[in-house]
């Protein structure tokens, strides 16, 4: 099996393997896993047209091969991901396929169009394999809040995969897909990447179009990418990025197209780096000893390679997670009001009028965590509180954006752990919402500041043998730089992002 996009593309070009074989292998693994005593449950279902699309890609490759090497090179220059299968999160629309956000309330819903990120990947020849499990409406940090049951960690199935993009992360880590799409509101790509021991990027807000992605917190949401290497993230990013007329919040990424061939920084460039470590994240409260130790080793790696590493004071970060949940839950309450049992999805009608239909559908359609967040969001937005709590949350956010931007006037990246802990056992936090929310302690400031950040697998394990991740966060639109630094990390630690091998 080929573990990277580069290796798989080479194998497809020279006929070592076919796209149909890749897709059928994933389907076979999926079907086998469904009947396993402890299923991984990364994919919810495989798309019924994936094999046909793979066969069409194989024909394109075969026809070009008959014309000679130049024709083959031209084909892959035009479609660099031709025949490459990828995993899709269940809140990203793929035309003609079910889209449920892992919720009963969208039971039976079929996406009428594809999200821009899906369309752009398909234009580059990539093949959507199927939809992956997630926390319901992307609300969670463990992929336990799903109507399809939890996704388990492929390294140890007694542990969570992280969330809310846990299905995509587990699929990539288990080598059921070469790369995967997830979404982020407060850490939902980086956190499962950390728990599953792979790379995961949250881009700058607007770099990837949100058209066709079901909204949770609109001012925070962003599509992210999960992969085995920085290059496996950079290449899909280069093909999906750019302004979209369907999304007014979308933006062009400078040098985005050059990411298709990611290169590490030279020794001279690396030694010129300035690394900021927020003092607020040096507190050990709630952080596992293994995470702190791994962080210090990562810090030492930067110093050893000649980078300047300084501790900086950003006091407002202490309020980041509180500000995040005030804003995110308020926006969630507003966004999810559209799920009413009338327009699409589940409909529970007892014939007593629209109000009862609305109440019954939402009561039976939403799970407990989604209900909790809607209730909190509506409480914050209620007349007697919105003038105080919500506005204060927005004020803190503005301060975070300003203070973090000031840090990047002097420094290239902010370095900190991705999560306070490694993956925990299933059920350990599911009934303790506050403890679950604190899993996002180090990630939410990135979403509030609208900057990019990448999780890098450290290669270190917790006492339970689970992966530990670190994150490199950069200034807005600095995806190229943080991915280059991640590539330096990959070059010095070549085995950290490899998938789980059965």
């Amino acid at each position: 099996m080929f573990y990277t996009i580069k290796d798989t593309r080479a194998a497809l070009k020279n006929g070592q393997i076919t796209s149909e074989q890749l897709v059928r292998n994933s389907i076979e693994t999926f079907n086998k896993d469904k009947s396993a005593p402890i299923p991984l449950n990364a994919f919810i279902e495989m798309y019924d047209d994936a094999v046909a699309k793979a066969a069409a890609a194989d024909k394109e490759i075969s026809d070009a091969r008959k014309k000679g090497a130049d024709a083959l090179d031209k084909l892959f220059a035009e479609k660099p991901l031709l025949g490459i299968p990828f995993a899709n999160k269940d809140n990203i629309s793929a035309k003609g396929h079910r889209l449920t956000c892992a919720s009963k309330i969208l039971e039976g819903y079929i996406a009428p169009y594809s999200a821009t990120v899906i369309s752009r990947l398909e234009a580059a020849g990539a093949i959507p394999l199927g939809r992956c499990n997630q926390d319901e409406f992307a609300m969670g940090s463990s992929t336990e809040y799903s109507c399809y049951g939890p996704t388990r960690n492929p390294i140890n199935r007694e542990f969570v995969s992280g969330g809310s993009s846990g299905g995509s992360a587990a699929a990539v880590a288990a080598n059921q897909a070469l790369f995967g799409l997830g979404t982020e509101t407060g850490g939902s790509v980086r956190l499962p990447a950390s728990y599953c021991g792979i790379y995961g990027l949250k881009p700058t807000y607007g770099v990837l179009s949100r058209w066709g992605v079901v909204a949770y917190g609109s001012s925070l949401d962003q599509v992210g990418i999960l992969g085995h290497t920085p290059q496996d993230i950079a290449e899909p990013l280069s093909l999906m990025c750019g302004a979209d007329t369907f999304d007014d919040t979308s933006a062009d990424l400078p040098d985005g197209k050059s990411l298709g061939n990611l290169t590490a920084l030279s020794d001279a460039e690396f030694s010129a780096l300035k690394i900021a470590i927020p003092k607020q994240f040096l507190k050990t409260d709630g952080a596992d000893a293994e995470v702190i130790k791994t962080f210090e080793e990562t810090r030492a790696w930067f110093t050893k390679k000649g980078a300047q590493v300084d501790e900086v004071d950003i006091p407002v970060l202490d309020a980041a997670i509180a500000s995040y949940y005030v804003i995110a839950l308020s926006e969630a309450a507003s966004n999810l009001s559209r799920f009413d049992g009338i327009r699409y999805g589940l409909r529970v009608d007892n014939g007593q009028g629209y109000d009862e239909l609305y109440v019954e559908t939402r009561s039976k359609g939403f799970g407990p965590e989604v209900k909790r967040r809607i209730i909190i969001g509506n409480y914050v937005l209620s007349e007697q509180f919105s003038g105080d709590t919500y506005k204060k949350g927005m004020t803190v956010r503005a301060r975070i954006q300003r203070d973090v931007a000031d840090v990047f006037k002097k420094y290239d990246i902010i370095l900190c752990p991705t999560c306070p802990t490694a993956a925990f056992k299933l059920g350990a936090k599911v009934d303790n919402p506050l403890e679950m929310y604190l899993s996002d302690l180090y990630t939410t400031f990135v979403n509030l500041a609208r900057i990019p950040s990448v999780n890098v697998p450290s290669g270190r394990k917790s006492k339970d043998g689970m992966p530990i991740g670190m994150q490199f966060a950069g200034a807005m639109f600095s995806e190229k730089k943080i991915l280059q630094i991640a590539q330096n990390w990959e070059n010095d630690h070549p085995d950290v992002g490899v998938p789980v091998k059965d």
Side-chain angles (χ1 to χ4, degrees), residues 128-399:
L129 263 176
R131 59 190 177 107
C132 286
N133 202 11
Q134 61 171 80
D135 284 300
E136 185 181 7
F137 281 99
M139 297 181 187
S141 302
S142 63
T143 310
E144 292 176 281
Y145 303 124
S146 167
C147 70
Y148 302 106
T151 293
R152 296 171 181 268
N153 196 304
I155 294 164
N156 185 331
R157 298 194 180 195
E158 292 183 4
F159 289 75
V160 301
S161 61
S164 64
S165 307
S168 296
V172 172
N175 207 40
Q176 292 182 1
L178 282 162
F179 70 96
L181 296 186
T183 61
E184 270 242 13
T185 307
S188 287
V189 167
R190 287 164 291 151
L191 194 147
S194 176
Y195 285 0
C196 291
I198 57 176
Y199 290 87
L201 174 74
K202 180 268 174 197
T204 302
Y205 183 81
V207 159
L208 295 181
S209 171
R210 292 184 296 113
W211 173 255
V213 179
V214 179
Y216 164 15
S218 300
S219 72
L220 299 160
D221 293 344
Q222 184 66 174
V223 175
I225 311 166
L226 298 132
H228 300 143
T229 67
Q231 176 64 37
D232 282 358
I233 287 173
E235 191 162 356
L237 175 65
S238 72
L239 297 164
M240 291 187 290
C241 69
D244 177 17
T245 55
F246 293 117
D247 180 1
D248 289 340
T249 67
S250 64
D252 284 318
L253 175 62
D255 299 323
K257 301 305 177 185
S258 68
L259 286 169
N261 184 23
L262 186 69
T263 56
L265 295 175
S266 67
D267 289 345
E269 289 172 324
F270 200 98
S271 62
L273 289 177
K274 294 182 179 180
I275 315 300
I277 297 175
K279 292 179 180 178
Q280 286 66 32
F281 292 158
L282 293 175
K283 301 170 185 176
T284 57
D285 298 350
D288 284 354
E290 295 98 335
V291 172
I292 299 301
K293 182 179 179 181
T294 304
F295 170 69
E296 291 300 334
E297 290 172 347
T298 309
R299 177 178 183 169
W301 175 77
F302 276 101
T303 302
K304 183 179 179 180
K305 289 181 71 70
Q308 177 183 326
V309 181
D310 296 330
E311 294 179 10
V312 299
D313 194 22
I314 317 175
V316 72
L317 292 187
D318 283 331
I321 197 162
S323 171
Y324 165 77
Y325 274 103
V326 165
I327 295 168
L329 271 55
S330 297
E331 293 183 1
S334 176
N335 278 323
L336 268 62
S337 64
R338 72 192 67 181
F339 301 103
D340 52 13
I342 297 172
R343 284 170 282 189
Y344 31 64
L346 181 71
R347 183 184 181 101
V348 182
D349 191 353
N350 56 15
Q352 296 183 20
Y354 286 119
D355 285 347
E356 285 298 317
L357 182 154
Y358 187 74
V359 170
E360 286 295 308
T361 298
R362 288 168 68 84
S363 296
K364 294 181 179 179
F366 288 135
E369 179 60 23
V370 173
K371 290 177 185 174
R372 180 184 294 119
R373 296 193 185 202
I374 290 173
I375 290 168
I376 295 172
N378 280 323
Y379 179 77
V380 170
L381 291 174
S382 60
E383 184 178 353
Q384 61 268 44
F385 288 104
S386 61
D388 181 22
T389 310
Y390 183 73
K391 288 182 180 178
K392 187 172 289 185
M394 292 299 288
T395 300
V396 171
R397 176 186 186 151
R399 178 68 179 271

Side-chain angles (χ1 to χ4, degrees), residues 201-204 207 237 253-254 259 408 411-414 450-454 472-485:
L201 174 74
K202 180 268 174 197
T204 302
V207 159
L237 175 65
L253 175 62
L259 286 169
F408 289 122
Y411 295 92
D412 296 287
I413 67 166
I414 290 175
R450 297 186 170 181
I451 60 176
S453 180
V454 61
F472 306 159
M476 291 183 71
F477 304 111
S478 66
E479 279 80 356
K480 183 172 184 177
K481 177 174 284 186
I482 64 172
L483 285 170
Q484 284 181 305
I485 297 170

Side-chain angles (χ1 to χ4, degrees), residues 405-457:
D406 286 343
V407 170
F408 289 122
K409 291 176 182 177
K410 300 177 182 178
Y411 295 92
D412 296 287
I413 67 166
I414 290 175
L415 170 66
C416 63
T418 303
C419 312
T421 69
F424 46 87
K425 286 193 174 183
L426 276 90
K429 299 182 181 182
V430 72
D431 295 323
N432 189 335
L434 183 58
E435 191 173 354
M436 187 76 81
Y437 294 171
L438 290 174
S439 298
D440 301 332
L441 185 65
Y442 300 132
T443 53
T444 56
F445 85 96
V446 167
N447 304 77
L448 291 166
R450 297 186 170 181
I451 60 176
S453 180
V454 61
N455 173 77
V456 298

